Amino acid sequence: MGASVALTFLLLLATFRAGSGHDEVETRECIYYNANWELEKTNQSGVERLVEGKKDKRLHCYASWRNNSGFIELVKKGCWLDDFNCYDRQECIAKEENPQVFFCCCEGNYCNKKFTHLPEVETFDPKPQPSASVLNILIYSLLPIVGLSMAILLAFWMYRHRKPSYGHVEINEDPGLPPPSPLVGLKPLQLLDIKARGRFGCVWKARLLNEYVAVKIFPVQDKQSWQCEKEIFTTPGMKHENLLEFIAAEKRGSNLEMELWLITAFHDKGSLTDYLKGNLVSWNELCHITETMARGLAYLHEDVPRCKGEGHKPAIAHRDFKSKNVLLRNDLTAILADFGLAVRFEPGKPPGDTHGQVGTRRYMAPEVLEGAINFQRDSFLRIDMYAMGLVLWEIVSRCTAADGPVDEYLLPFEEEIGQHPSLEDLQEVVVHKKIRPVFKDHWLKHPGLAQLCVTIEECWDHDAEARLSAGCVEERISQIRKSVNGTTSDCLVSIVTSVTNVDLPPKESSI
């Protein structure tokens, strides 16, 4: 009797555990291999284990390889995130006809141990062929009709496509670009979540092997912006700690369904705008963000004759500098991004499209708003400096260093003319009345913020030639930080000081 009760109890316990197992997270174990393990500093082979925290997501295994004249060269094996193309596949089978790199995925632990290629082949029903004489007669009879039909169809096609629905869009392939492929440099790429939408498309968070990357997807009608940003990224000397890291550029699809991809480093904290909306910054954080931001813009503006063996790096104007286009690393280091409107100034070459009124209206300098730009290099760099003054004001407005309240985050001029100002509103406020965002009284009682406010005023000066350079701003902030931190141990101070008692770096007369 006791044995039967114990057996019944064990069966119930096993049933309970089996039922509750449906609520547990999914775990997948896959065969791991990396042909580039030495270069990427990973293990060469073994077992990869992946855990999915979301119950509605599934995990898979994958394999990728090349076929070199019958010799199979394994590239990578490992775990793969939720992908409907892999659902209910017990074996790892590649279906594509003849790709550059074969790829397959499957469900089940270690299901990628074996992999194969079985292309989908159309069935052919053989029929008796007509005799040669009958075939020749048919060909010669139908040839004029077919030729006339093709001429009519071609004329109709040219008529229908004389004005594409998205305006005139060049869709010629650029030489040297990699073909559309789910692999970047033989590495699997998987789109995960949309992180932002902007004027030129959307930005995805994606997974490239075990690292996250950002994929900016442009529609074909914005090809010029994609092309411009790709060219800026591939300019010699554009690898810098305060500029967004470029990984690759790709075209997907064809004709008007084409998508243009830019693949860059991913920064989880997002843009400076988003960070300031949800967070306050201390004095030391403010100094770090502003100093690294100024350093990035100073390097972008700089003309470097020979940069790290890569050739000449020309001066580059951003032309859409704003807090939304400044990203943050986890340590709050600033990263400049979005070079779709940027322009290079190379000696002996025209700078390209230098149309005056481009960028985000709220951040436009007075000379841009009134259409009075001198189309020279220094003029465009000074336009960036005006916008930097506004971004510096945004950061100061969320700093806790001063002894006083910190208001909710506001965009520049939002208090004066609202969230959606017209061009006429900004012309009236910025150009005619020469109004700028307000400095709070308690900011000016903090020794560091007071000096920074002076620097901001010299960035957004109405006279473009009187504005500071980005390099001067970087030097100013460094000296302000050292002077304040050298006399105070805590960033939350309220010392009444006179700005005129502080020696600031001299203003550069030209950029």
Side-chain angles (χ1 to χ4, degrees):
M1 179 67 180
S4 61
V5 171
L7 180 61
T8 304
F9 175 78
L10 289 173
L11 288 172
L12 288 172
L13 182 60
T15 304
F16 173 77
R17 285 182 176 177
S20 63
H22 294 289
D23 295 329
E24 295 177 358
V25 296
E26 183 176 0
T27 301
R28 178 70 62 233
E29 291 185 354
C30 306
I31 300 297
Y32 175 81
Y33 179 81
N34 185 358
N36 298 324
W37 65 279
E38 291 180 314
L39 184 63
E40 297 174 7
K41 298 180 180 179
T42 65
N43 294 331
Q44 182 180 16
S45 61
V47 174
E48 183 177 13
R49 188 171 185 268
L50 196 63
V51 178
E52 175 58 68
K54 298 181 180 179
K55 290 184 286 186
D56 58 340
K57 299 290 185 180
R58 296 161 74 165
L59 298 176
H60 320 283
C61 300
Y62 79 92
S64 60
W65 69 95
R66 287 180 291 199
N67 189 337
N68 296 327
S69 302
F71 175 73
I72 302 302
E73 179 187 352
L74 185 58
V75 177
K76 291 185 185 294
K77 283 185 174 184
C79 293
W80 190 246
L81 294 178
D82 185 63
D83 189 336
F84 70 91
N85 293 308
C86 313
Y87 285 5
D88 303 321
R89 290 192 176 189
Q90 304 302 317
E91 297 179 332
C92 203
I93 301 175
K95 298 286 189 180
E96 295 179 79
E97 181 67 30
N98 189 24
Q100 180 184 6
V101 178
F102 292 89
F103 177 86
C104 67
C105 57
C106 53
E107 281 192 330
N109 291 334
Y110 311 112
C111 64
N112 63 338
K113 183 177 181 179
K114 296 181 179 180
F115 54 91
T116 188
H117 175 225
L118 294 176
E120 297 176 353
V121 181
E122 296 182 2
T123 58
F124 177 69
D125 184 18
K127 293 182 179 179
Q129 299 296 322
S131 65
S133 58
V134 176
L135 187 62
N136 289 339
I137 294 171
L138 286 174
I139 290 175
Y140 288 121
S141 300
L142 295 175
L143 193 60
I145 300 173
V146 171
L148 181 62
S149 301
M150 291 180 66
I152 294 172
L153 288 172
L154 179 63
F156 178 73
W157 184 89
M158 292 177 66
Y159 172 78
R160 288 292 303 271
H161 289 77
R162 73 192 190 283
K163 288 186 179 180
S165 57
Y166 288 109
H168 181 66
V169 179
E170 294 290 341
I171 56 175
N172 295 327
E173 292 292 324
D174 295 325
L177 279 177
S181 166
L183 302 169
V184 178
L186 306 183
K187 299 176 182 178
L189 176 68
Q190 188 175 18
L191 299 179
L192 300 176
D193 302 304
I194 292 180
K195 288 296 181 181
R197 296 184 185 272
R199 178 173 57 243
F200 296 123
C202 58
V203 178
W204 284 77
K205 179 182 179 180
R207 188 181 186 222
L208 188 61
L209 281 182
N210 295 325
E211 296 180 357
Y212 291 117
V213 296
V215 179
K216 188 175 182 180
I217 301 180
F218 299 73
V220 67
Q221 60 267 31
D222 289 323
K223 178 183 178 183
Q224 185 176 358
S225 180
W226 173 81
Q227 185 77 25
C228 175
E229 191 160 6
K230 178 172 70 75
E231 289 176 358
I232 294 295
F233 271 127
T234 53
T235 300
M238 279 296 288
K239 294 180 181 178
H240 187 269
E241 61 179 348
N242 301 117
L243 301 180
L244 183 60
E245 179 189 355
F246 172 74
I247 297 174
E250 286 192 349
K251 289 184 178 182
R252 303 291 181 101
S254 60
N255 297 332
L256 294 179
E257 296 181 358
M258 182 189 296
E259 288 184 343
L260 308 170
W261 288 21
L262 276 178
I263 305 165
T264 63
F266 177 76
H267 296 287
D268 200 41
K269 283 195 178 297
S271 72
L272 178 58
T273 303
D274 297 331
Y275 186 79
L276 293 176
K277 283 180 181 178
N279 300 273
L280 303 178
V281 293
S282 67
W283 167 249
N284 287 329
E285 289 172 339
L286 176 144
C287 291
H288 184 66
I289 295 172
T290 55
E291 191 173 350
T292 54
M293 180 177 71
R295 185 178 303 138
L297 190 59
Y299 182 78
L300 191 69
H301 285 179
E302 187 177 0
D303 187 292
V304 184
R306 190 74 181 173
C307 185
K308 302 175 183 176
E310 295 184 24
H312 171 239
K313 179 210 166 287
I316 300 173
H318 192 286
R319 297 210 300 168
D320 195 19
F321 192 85
K322 57 183 178 179
S323 55
K324 195 73 176 175
N325 290 338
V326 177
L327 305 179
L328 295 176
R329 297 188 194 274
N330 289 332
D331 65 352
L332 299 186
T333 296
I335 307 292
L336 273 57
D338 198 340
F339 302 105
L341 295 175
V343 62
R344 297 179 293 189
F345 298 94
E346 300 181 77
K349 295 183 181 180
D353 181 17
T354 54
H355 182 268
Q357 282 191 334
V358 298
T360 302
R361 187 181 299 158
R362 185 183 299 276
Y363 292 85
M364 286 182 179
E367 61 270 27
V368 178
L369 290 169
E370 60 182 342
I373 302 176
N374 179 6
F375 289 90
Q376 301 297 321
R377 184 195 76 165
D378 289 355
S379 300
F380 286 99
L381 304 188
R382 290 165 183 152
I383 290 169
D384 283 349
M385 294 312 301
Y386 171 87
M388 171 173 268
L390 296 177
V391 176
L392 290 172
W393 175 88
E394 292 176 65
I395 302 170
V396 170
S397 72
R398 297 290 285 162
C399 183
T400 59
D403 188 13
V406 179
D407 296 333
E408 292 295 318
Y409 171 77
L410 292 175
L411 289 165
F413 301 110
E414 185 173 344
E415 191 172 4
E416 291 80 8
I417 47 180
Q419 289 189 345
H420 305 288
S422 65
L423 185 64
E424 292 74 20
D425 292 335
L426 284 161
Q427 287 172 336
E428 178 66 20
V429 169
V430 176
V431 179
H432 303 308
K433 295 183 179 179
K434 299 183 180 179
I435 294 175
R436 300 291 185 269
V438 176
F439 296 140
K440 304 295 183 182
D441 290 338
H442 57 278
W443 298 356
L444 303 178
K445 296 177 181 179
H446 180 275
L449 294 182
Q451 296 173 62
L452 192 54
C453 287
V454 173
T455 301
I456 293 172
E457 286 184 322
E458 293 183 74
C459 286
W460 66 31
D461 197 300
H462 200 83
D463 180 5
E465 294 185 1
R467 293 174 196 153
L468 299 176
S469 69
C472 184
V473 172
E474 180 192 357
E475 185 182 351
R476 284 267 187 100
I477 295 170
S478 177
Q479 291 195 12
I480 292 170
R481 174 175 53 81
K482 290 175 182 176
S483 67
V484 173
N485 291 354
T487 57
T488 59
S489 59
D490 190 355
C491 66
L492 299 175
V493 296
S494 63
I495 302 175
V496 180
T497 185
S498 172
V499 176
T500 56
N501 291 337
V502 180
D503 293 328
L504 294 175
K507 186 191 302 184
E508 296 180 10
S509 60
S510 63
I511 301 179

